[in-house]
Amino acid sequence: QVQLVESGGGLVQAGVSLRLSCAASGLTVSSYTMGWFRQAPGKERDFVAGIRGSGGTTYYADSVKGRFTISRDNAKNTVYLQIHSLKPEDTAVYYCAARRPYFVSYDYWGQGTQVTVSS
């Protein structure tokens, strides 16, 4: 049974940094493409960052390039999202997801972690 459990969200002030974690069980993060998505109030869920299983190539939405960094710790089977210089518009529920190699859609999702940025 696959489980993705996000943590690290909270209420923070603008300008600070935050690291979100996604602990996986039932799958090996280095064998999947892992992604982070976010959903702001009243908006659709958007892709933020991804890291490919093979080789660990990372890729980002244009809106977050330079401020967000995705990484993984294979020993801990955990994926991270480091967010620098948080802005109020980063307020959203952040979700971790896993996609099997060569598949288009993400198969597994976490429950999400809320990030609220105050100005």
Side-chain angles (χ1 to χ4, degrees), residues 42-94:
K43 296 187 178 182
E44 294 184 351
R45 186 161 55 189
D46 291 328
F47 169 80
V48 172
I51 181 167
R52 291 192 171 91
S54 177
T57 303
T58 59
Y59 49 106
Y60 301 90
D62 289 342
S63 59
V64 305
K65 280 181 182 176
R67 287 199 304 124
F68 287 32
T69 303
I70 187 172
S71 62
R72 70 186 184 207
D73 184 329
N74 294 340
K76 295 183 178 180
N77 210 33
T78 298
V79 178
Y80 304 98
L81 184 69
Q82 181 77 46
I83 309 174
H84 298 287
S85 302
L86 275 156
K87 304 176 181 180
E89 51 264 43
D90 293 322
T91 294
V93 178
Y94 285 73

Side-chain angles (χ1 to χ4, degrees), residues 8-10 12 16-20 81-86 114-115:
V12 297
V16 303
S17 297
L18 197 65
R19 189 178 77 163
L20 307 181
L81 184 69
Q82 181 77 46
I83 309 174
H84 298 287
S85 302
L86 275 156
Q114 175 72 48
V115 174

Side-chain angles (χ1 to χ4, degrees), residues 4 6 25 28 33 36 40-44 57 63 65 71 77 88 90 99 102-104 111 113:
L4 302 176
E6 302 96 333
S25 59
T28 302
T33 291
W36 284 96
K43 296 187 178 182
E44 294 184 351
T57 303
S63 59
K65 280 181 182 176
S71 62
N77 210 33
D90 293 322
R99 174 165 63 87
Y102 310 112
F103 278 66
V104 175
Q111 82 290 348
T113 186

